Amino acid sequence: MNAARILLLASLAALGTAQSPLSKEVDAVYPEAHALYLDIHQTPELSSHETQTASKLADRLRRLGYDVTDHVGGTGIVAILKNGAGPTVMLRTELDALPVEEKTGLAYASKIHAKDDAGHDVPVMHACGHDLHMAAIIGTATIMAHSKGSWHGTLMLVGQPAEETISGAKAMLDDGFLRRFPKPDVAVALHVGNILPAGTVGIVPGIYNTNADSIRITIYGKGGHGSAPHTAIDPIVIAARTILALQTIPSREVKPGQLAVVTVGYIHAGTKNNIIPDQAELGLTVRTNKTEVRKQVLAAIDRITKAEAEAAGAPRPPLIERYEGTDFVYNDPALAERLRGVLESALGKENVVNEEPITASEDFSYFVEQGIPGFYFSLGGADPQKFAEAQAAGTQLPSNHSPLFAPDVDPALHTGITAEVAVLRNLLNGASTNGSR
Ligand SMILES: [Zn+2]
Ligand SMILES: [Zn+2]
């Protein structure tokens, strides 16, 4: 950053954000972005099935003059706007929603049901806020398309499917993402959540979040009559012991202070109260942020699960499958520091906070692992008043994936668009908060 730029940023920061040129530009695109938010919120689609969602984004981006390629890695889209010489900067949004029944009571709550990949009818909700990310990216895309004098280079907007199953980024890469499109010099993404109040953003230089591993365990027993347990080997009892024993991995095996989470998110077994089933299935998510702790926890799950089955005299060892996994998202520290200044200028210094690494996970890491420096930051989503009340009471607001998750769209969406445009203009060598139309 040169001295003139630093002076410019400093003077803009001193002016604050009151009706800056960027704020006016965001106001101009806000109604359409908000309408898109309400629409997508009420029409959520499950991972890898985001057909309508992707085409809504693609249509809008085409109308704005972006060169859009559909069906990249399934339902993914890549939209490119070339604007002279300069770097290629990627901004990514996810497309997918979750099998969650919305209970927010909002007038625009989702009532959608769909068939999941196992053929079950499930409720569908944007319980992770990806609808807000999509609305923001369209607002940002509109401003960038209307202010080509404020930046130069190549803007690449990516609509990534299936983030929730940690498979969409890989699918896009496997479908020739790096071969078919210019390789980004930088990749940017944000995520909304209730960890921060709406109107703010959070930055974590270095390790942003955690490694995630999804594990499916099938415990084998011997079926029989519920009245005659001595003739059976009960997999439900083995599962119950296993679940409790697994909780001793973070509490008794991992060194205090090291991050480790082992959650059993489901247990499926049995059909009727008087039948002992012959198997039970557990679904686990495991979060760590160090390679050696990850290895330790995965090995302990293997050891404990097998030993519990053996202790119960199971007819055969359990099947332990790691069916999904992703590494932590790494924020290039120098890039994060540079963009902190940009965000402080655009949003006001008090609205840019330092965050602790979080225990969520993301397949954005797949892009970063291709040698693309990444900047992944948090967007505050909590109603500021509810946030303050929860802080005072020592309680937690509903987290992402909760049926009650409801980001405070205004101002979160406004802040999201402002932050994205400021970051993109800086990375694309333009003025960070001045636009021309
Ligand atoms: Zn999520
Ligand atoms: Zn998410």
Side-chain angles (χ1 to χ4, degrees):
M1 193 183 289
N2 62 32
R5 165 64 65 67
I6 291 168
L7 274 176
L8 171 69
L9 293 180
S11 58
L12 286 168
L15 284 172
T17 54
Q19 286 305 299
S20 67
L22 176 53
S23 172
K24 281 189 201 145
E25 290 177 272
V26 178
D27 287 346
V29 301
Y30 187 82
E32 202 185 325
H34 187 248
L36 179 65
Y37 174 78
L38 296 179
D39 174 22
I40 295 182
H41 189 83
Q42 293 173 83
T43 54
E45 294 177 297
L46 292 171
S47 303
S48 304
H49 298 274
E50 312 92 333
T51 323
Q52 298 305 318
T53 308
S55 76
K56 281 175 195 172
L57 298 191
D59 287 350
R60 279 170 175 76
L61 292 167
R62 279 195 183 100
R63 283 206 298 273
L64 289 165
Y66 288 75
D67 180 10
V68 182
T69 307
D70 306 283
H71 308 299
V72 182
T75 54
I77 58 170
V78 176
I80 290 178
L81 190 61
K82 287 195 169 140
N83 187 24
T88 298
V89 178
M90 163 180 156
L91 175 65
R92 174 272 218 167
T93 178
E94 319 85 330
L95 303 174
D96 54 340
L98 287 157
V100 171
E101 184 179 357
E102 179 156 1
K103 294 179 182 165
T104 59
L106 291 166
Y108 55 89
S110 167
K111 296 180 181 66
I112 297 289
H113 278 242
K115 288 252 184 292
D116 69 11
D117 288 338
H120 301 125
D121 180 78
V122 290
V124 190
M125 172 189 176
H126 268 296
C128 204
H130 298 173
D131 46 354
L132 200 141
H133 305 166
M134 287 184 260
I137 214 169
I138 291 298
T140 298
T142 309
I143 293 175
M144 295 302 282
H146 291 166
S147 63
K148 285 171 109 177
S150 71
W151 60 279
H152 51 89
T154 299
L155 175 58
M156 176 195 262
L157 303 177
V158 171
Q160 183 212 299
E163 186 281 322
E164 295 292 356
T165 51
I166 321 177
S167 57
K170 183 171 185 302
M172 291 188 88
L173 288 163
D174 289 349
D175 198 13
F177 177 79
L178 292 175
R179 181 171 43 76
R180 294 164 62 188
F181 308 103
K183 182 175 178 179
D185 295 295
V186 187
V188 178
L190 54 68
H191 207 299
V192 69
N194 277 339
I195 301 168
L196 297 172
T200 67
V201 296
I203 296 180
V204 186
I207 296 172
Y208 175 84
N209 61 8
T210 52
N211 303 308
D213 294 287
S214 299
I215 296 170
R216 182 166 43 231
I217 296 173
T218 310
I219 293 166
Y220 300 103
K222 188 176 160 207
H225 200 290
S227 70
H230 59 291
T231 66
I233 293 171
D234 190 342
I236 292 180
V237 173
I238 305 174
R241 282 199 204 117
T242 305
I243 291 165
L244 290 177
L246 292 175
Q247 296 313 310
T248 63
I249 300 170
S251 67
R252 303 287 86 186
E253 297 198 25
V254 172
K255 188 178 173 195
Q258 298 289 353
L259 189 148
V261 176
V262 178
T263 290
V264 179
Y266 73 78
I267 163 165
H268 294 159
T271 52
K272 194 172 182 302
N273 65 324
N274 65 352
I275 300 171
I276 295 171
D278 63 359
Q279 64 181 61
E281 186 180 305
L282 308 179
L284 279 65
T285 190
V286 178
R287 307 298 166 107
T288 53
N289 67 3
K290 287 203 177 128
T291 307
E292 58 274 21
V293 178
R294 186 186 207 173
K295 275 192 198 149
Q296 182 193 4
V297 171
L298 294 178
I301 289 170
D302 195 74
R303 187 192 78 238
I304 288 170
T305 305
K306 285 178 179 161
E308 286 293 350
E310 195 182 346
R316 58 186 165 119
L319 178 64
I320 304 168
E321 301 162 280
R322 177 178 168 275
Y323 64 94
E324 286 169 352
T326 187
D327 296 343
F328 55 70
V329 172
Y330 185 74
N331 276 331
D332 184 274
L335 185 64
E337 285 310 324
R338 167 178 158 195
L339 294 173
R340 177 201 306 279
V342 171
L343 288 167
E344 286 177 354
S345 297
L347 302 170
K349 205 169 169 111
E350 68 284 5
N351 292 322
V352 180
V353 301
N354 281 319
E355 248 192 316
E356 293 284 309
I358 59 169
T359 52
S361 301
E362 249 295 346
D363 62 1
F364 185 68
S365 55
Y366 279 85
F367 295 108
V368 179
E369 280 160 19
Q370 306 305 312
I372 304 168
F375 179 61
Y376 189 98
F377 64 104
S378 298
L379 177 66
D383 177 312
Q385 179 157 357
K386 287 185 191 155
F387 183 81
E389 286 166 7
Q391 289 240 302
T395 55
Q396 301 287 330
L397 293 172
S399 62
N400 298 60
H401 293 202
S402 158
L404 300 174
F405 181 71
D408 188 9
V409 181
D410 190 3
L413 179 53
H414 201 282
T415 307
I417 299 169
T418 308
E420 286 179 351
V421 173
V423 163
L424 291 179
R425 282 189 179 148
N426 181 274
L427 295 171
L428 291 159
N429 300 318
S432 65
T433 54
N434 283 313
S436 60
R437 277 193 252 180

mmCIF file with all atom_site columns, all heavy atoms in Angstrom, residues 94 128 130 133 163-164 191 362 400-401, ligand 2:
data_model
loop_
_atom_site.group_PDB
_atom_site.id
_atom_site.type_symbol
_atom_site.label_atom_id
_atom_site.label_alt_id
_atom_site.label_comp_id
_atom_site.label_asym_id
_atom_site.label_entity_id
_atom_site.label_seq_id
_atom_site.pdbx_PDB_ins_code
_atom_site.Cartn_x
_atom_site.Cartn_y
_atom_site.Cartn_z
_atom_site.occupancy
_atom_site.B_iso_or_equiv
_atom_site.pdbx_formal_charge
_atom_site.auth_seq_id
_atom_site.auth_comp_id
_atom_site.auth_asym_id
_atom_site.auth_atom_id
_atom_site.pdbx_PDB_model_num
ATOM   1  N  N   . GLU A 1 94  ? -22.254 -19.816 -1.283 1.00 0.00 ? 94  GLU A N   1
ATOM   2  C  CA  . GLU A 1 94  ? -22.834 -21.145 -1.337 1.00 0.00 ? 94  GLU A CA  1
ATOM   3  C  C   . GLU A 1 94  ? -24.256 -21.024 -1.866 1.00 0.00 ? 94  GLU A C   1
ATOM   4  O  O   . GLU A 1 94  ? -24.850 -19.956 -1.822 1.00 0.00 ? 94  GLU A O   1
ATOM   5  C  CB  . GLU A 1 94  ? -22.884 -21.812 0.043  1.00 0.00 ? 94  GLU A CB  1
ATOM   6  C  CG  . GLU A 1 94  ? -21.673 -21.614 0.925  1.00 0.00 ? 94  GLU A CG  1
ATOM   7  C  CD  . GLU A 1 94  ? -21.721 -20.315 1.725  1.00 0.00 ? 94  GLU A CD  1
ATOM   8  O  OE1 . GLU A 1 94  ? -22.318 -19.325 1.257  1.00 0.00 ? 94  GLU A OE1 1
ATOM   9  O  OE2 . GLU A 1 94  ? -21.142 -20.294 2.817  1.00 0.00 ? 94  GLU A OE2 1
ATOM   10 N  N   . CYS A 1 128 ? -28.565 -21.811 7.413  1.00 0.00 ? 128 CYS A N   1
ATOM   11 C  CA  . CYS A 1 128 ? -27.157 -21.420 7.585  1.00 0.00 ? 128 CYS A CA  1
ATOM   12 C  C   . CYS A 1 128 ? -26.911 -20.008 7.034  1.00 0.00 ? 128 CYS A C   1
ATOM   13 O  O   . CYS A 1 128 ? -25.804 -19.502 7.098  1.00 0.00 ? 128 CYS A O   1
ATOM   14 C  CB  . CYS A 1 128 ? -26.235 -22.434 6.915  1.00 0.00 ? 128 CYS A CB  1
ATOM   15 S  SG  . CYS A 1 128 ? -24.564 -22.448 7.608  1.00 0.00 ? 128 CYS A SG  1
ATOM   16 N  N   . HIS A 1 130 ? -27.128 -18.995 3.841  1.00 0.00 ? 130 HIS A N   1
ATOM   17 C  CA  . HIS A 1 130 ? -26.562 -18.910 2.488  1.00 0.00 ? 130 HIS A CA  1
ATOM   18 C  C   . HIS A 1 130 ? -27.430 -18.039 1.581  1.00 0.00 ? 130 HIS A C   1
ATOM   19 O  O   . HIS A 1 130 ? -26.938 -17.482 0.591  1.00 0.00 ? 130 HIS A O   1
ATOM   20 C  CB  . HIS A 1 130 ? -26.379 -20.304 1.900  1.00 0.00 ? 130 HIS A CB  1
ATOM   21 C  CG  . HIS A 1 130 ? -25.426 -21.166 2.689  1.00 0.00 ? 130 HIS A CG  1
ATOM   22 N  ND1 . HIS A 1 130 ? -25.211 -22.498 2.434  1.00 0.00 ? 130 HIS A ND1 1
ATOM   23 C  CD2 . HIS A 1 130 ? -24.632 -20.861 3.747  1.00 0.00 ? 130 HIS A CD2 1
ATOM   24 C  CE1 . HIS A 1 130 ? -24.328 -22.982 3.295  1.00 0.00 ? 130 HIS A CE1 1
ATOM   25 N  NE2 . HIS A 1 130 ? -23.972 -22.009 4.104  1.00 0.00 ? 130 HIS A NE2 1
ATOM   26 N  N   . HIS A 1 133 ? -26.023 -14.685 1.809  1.00 0.00 ? 133 HIS A N   1
ATOM   27 C  CA  . HIS A 1 133 ? -24.786 -14.579 1.016  1.00 0.00 ? 133 HIS A CA  1
ATOM   28 C  C   . HIS A 1 133 ? -25.107 -14.367 -0.469 1.00 0.00 ? 133 HIS A C   1
ATOM   29 O  O   . HIS A 1 133 ? -24.431 -13.609 -1.163 1.00 0.00 ? 133 HIS A O   1
ATOM   30 C  CB  . HIS A 1 133 ? -23.934 -15.846 1.151  1.00 0.00 ? 133 HIS A CB  1
ATOM   31 C  CG  . HIS A 1 133 ? -23.598 -16.213 2.563  1.00 0.00 ? 133 HIS A CG  1
ATOM   32 N  ND1 . HIS A 1 133 ? -23.097 -17.437 2.920  1.00 0.00 ? 133 HIS A ND1 1
ATOM   33 C  CD2 . HIS A 1 133 ? -23.713 -15.509 3.719  1.00 0.00 ? 133 HIS A CD2 1
ATOM   34 C  CE1 . HIS A 1 133 ? -22.903 -17.467 4.225  1.00 0.00 ? 133 HIS A CE1 1
ATOM   35 N  NE2 . HIS A 1 133 ? -23.273 -16.322 4.735  1.00 0.00 ? 133 HIS A NE2 1
ATOM   36 N  N   . GLU A 1 163 ? -22.241 -26.982 -0.134 1.00 0.00 ? 163 GLU A N   1
ATOM   37 C  CA  . GLU A 1 163 ? -21.262 -26.682 0.914  1.00 0.00 ? 163 GLU A CA  1
ATOM   38 C  C   . GLU A 1 163 ? -21.555 -27.504 2.151  1.00 0.00 ? 163 GLU A C   1
ATOM   39 O  O   . GLU A 1 163 ? -20.645 -27.967 2.829  1.00 0.00 ? 163 GLU A O   1
ATOM   40 C  CB  . GLU A 1 163 ? -21.280 -25.180 1.240  1.00 0.00 ? 163 GLU A CB  1
ATOM   41 C  CG  . GLU A 1 163 ? -20.201 -24.738 2.222  1.00 0.00 ? 163 GLU A CG  1
ATOM   42 C  CD  . GLU A 1 163 ? -20.516 -25.043 3.674  1.00 0.00 ? 163 GLU A CD  1
ATOM   43 O  OE1 . GLU A 1 163 ? -21.679 -24.926 4.081  1.00 0.00 ? 163 GLU A OE1 1
ATOM   44 O  OE2 . GLU A 1 163 ? -19.590 -25.428 4.419  1.00 0.00 ? 163 GLU A OE2 1
ATOM   45 N  N   . GLU A 1 164 ? -22.842 -27.688 2.448  1.00 0.00 ? 164 GLU A N   1
ATOM   46 C  CA  . GLU A 1 164 ? -23.217 -28.367 3.698  1.00 0.00 ? 164 GLU A CA  1
ATOM   47 C  C   . GLU A 1 164 ? -22.794 -29.828 3.718  1.00 0.00 ? 164 GLU A C   1
ATOM   48 O  O   . GLU A 1 164 ? -22.670 -30.426 4.778  1.00 0.00 ? 164 GLU A O   1
ATOM   49 C  CB  . GLU A 1 164 ? -24.729 -28.261 3.930  1.00 0.00 ? 164 GLU A CB  1
ATOM   50 C  CG  . GLU A 1 164 ? -25.230 -26.841 4.159  1.00 0.00 ? 164 GLU A CG  1
ATOM   51 C  CD  . GLU A 1 164 ? -24.750 -26.228 5.466  1.00 0.00 ? 164 GLU A CD  1
ATOM   52 O  OE1 . GLU A 1 164 ? -24.083 -26.941 6.247  1.00 0.00 ? 164 GLU A OE1 1
ATOM   53 O  OE2 . GLU A 1 164 ? -25.039 -25.042 5.688  1.00 0.00 ? 164 GLU A OE2 1
ATOM   54 N  N   . HIS A 1 191 ? -19.221 -15.353 5.851  1.00 0.00 ? 191 HIS A N   1
ATOM   55 C  CA  . HIS A 1 191 ? -20.298 -16.166 6.415  1.00 0.00 ? 191 HIS A CA  1
ATOM   56 C  C   . HIS A 1 191 ? -21.014 -15.411 7.513  1.00 0.00 ? 191 HIS A C   1
ATOM   57 O  O   . HIS A 1 191 ? -20.386 -14.873 8.413  1.00 0.00 ? 191 HIS A O   1
ATOM   58 C  CB  . HIS A 1 191 ? -19.789 -17.506 6.935  1.00 0.00 ? 191 HIS A CB  1
ATOM   59 C  CG  . HIS A 1 191 ? -20.877 -18.540 6.888  1.00 0.00 ? 191 HIS A CG  1
ATOM   60 N  ND1 . HIS A 1 191 ? -22.049 -18.415 7.592  1.00 0.00 ? 191 HIS A ND1 1
ATOM   61 C  CD2 . HIS A 1 191 ? -20.985 -19.684 6.178  1.00 0.00 ? 191 HIS A CD2 1
ATOM   62 C  CE1 . HIS A 1 191 ? -22.839 -19.450 7.329  1.00 0.00 ? 191 HIS A CE1 1
ATOM   63 N  NE2 . HIS A 1 191 ? -22.216 -20.236 6.467  1.00 0.00 ? 191 HIS A NE2 1
ATOM   64 N  N   . GLU A 1 362 ? -15.837 -25.609 6.543  1.00 0.00 ? 362 GLU A N   1
ATOM   65 C  CA  . GLU A 1 362 ? -16.112 -24.991 5.258  1.00 0.00 ? 362 GLU A CA  1
ATOM   66 C  C   . GLU A 1 362 ? -15.304 -25.682 4.190  1.00 0.00 ? 362 GLU A C   1
ATOM   67 O  O   . GLU A 1 362 ? -14.116 -25.927 4.394  1.00 0.00 ? 362 GLU A O   1
ATOM   68 C  CB  . GLU A 1 362 ? -15.533 -23.568 5.325  1.00 0.00 ? 362 GLU A CB  1
ATOM   69 C  CG  . GLU A 1 362 ? -16.499 -22.458 5.343  1.00 0.00 ? 362 GLU A CG  1
ATOM   70 C  CD  . GLU A 1 362 ? -17.302 -22.327 4.082  1.00 0.00 ? 362 GLU A CD  1
ATOM   71 O  OE1 . GLU A 1 362 ? -16.966 -22.936 3.050  1.00 0.00 ? 362 GLU A OE1 1
ATOM   72 O  OE2 . GLU A 1 362 ? -18.306 -21.608 4.140  1.00 0.00 ? 362 GLU A OE2 1
ATOM   73 N  N   . ASN A 1 400 ? -26.257 -21.020 13.709 1.00 0.00 ? 400 ASN A N   1
ATOM   74 C  CA  . ASN A 1 400 ? -26.526 -21.507 12.359 1.00 0.00 ? 400 ASN A CA  1
ATOM   75 C  C   . ASN A 1 400 ? -26.963 -22.975 12.479 1.00 0.00 ? 400 ASN A C   1
ATOM   76 O  O   . ASN A 1 400 ? -26.468 -23.711 13.329 1.00 0.00 ? 400 ASN A O   1
ATOM   77 C  CB  . ASN A 1 400 ? -25.260 -21.451 11.502 1.00 0.00 ? 400 ASN A CB  1
ATOM   78 C  CG  . ASN A 1 400 ? -24.736 -20.034 11.330 1.00 0.00 ? 400 ASN A CG  1
ATOM   79 O  OD1 . ASN A 1 400 ? -24.414 -19.378 12.312 1.00 0.00 ? 400 ASN A OD1 1
ATOM   80 N  ND2 . ASN A 1 400 ? -24.682 -19.559 10.107 1.00 0.00 ? 400 ASN A ND2 1
ATOM   81 N  N   . HIS A 1 401 ? -27.868 -23.376 11.620 1.00 0.00 ? 401 HIS A N   1
ATOM   82 C  CA  . HIS A 1 401 ? -28.445 -24.726 11.549 1.00 0.00 ? 401 HIS A CA  1
ATOM   83 C  C   . HIS A 1 401 ? -29.590 -24.912 12.541 1.00 0.00 ? 401 HIS A C   1
ATOM   84 O  O   . HIS A 1 401 ? -30.233 -25.963 12.541 1.00 0.00 ? 401 HIS A O   1
ATOM   85 C  CB  . HIS A 1 401 ? -27.400 -25.843 11.749 1.00 0.00 ? 401 HIS A CB  1
ATOM   86 C  CG  . HIS A 1 401 ? -26.405 -25.934 10.628 1.00 0.00 ? 401 HIS A CG  1
ATOM   87 N  ND1 . HIS A 1 401 ? -25.666 -27.063 10.348 1.00 0.00 ? 401 HIS A ND1 1
ATOM   88 C  CD2 . HIS A 1 401 ? -26.038 -25.020 9.691  1.00 0.00 ? 401 HIS A CD2 1
ATOM   89 C  CE1 . HIS A 1 401 ? -24.877 -26.842 9.307  1.00 0.00 ? 401 HIS A CE1 1
ATOM   90 N  NE2 . HIS A 1 401 ? -25.082 -25.594 8.901  1.00 0.00 ? 401 HIS A NE2 1
HETATM 91 ZN ZN  . ZN  B 2 .   ? -22.961 -22.114 5.982  1.00 0.00 ? 2   ZN  B ZN  1
#
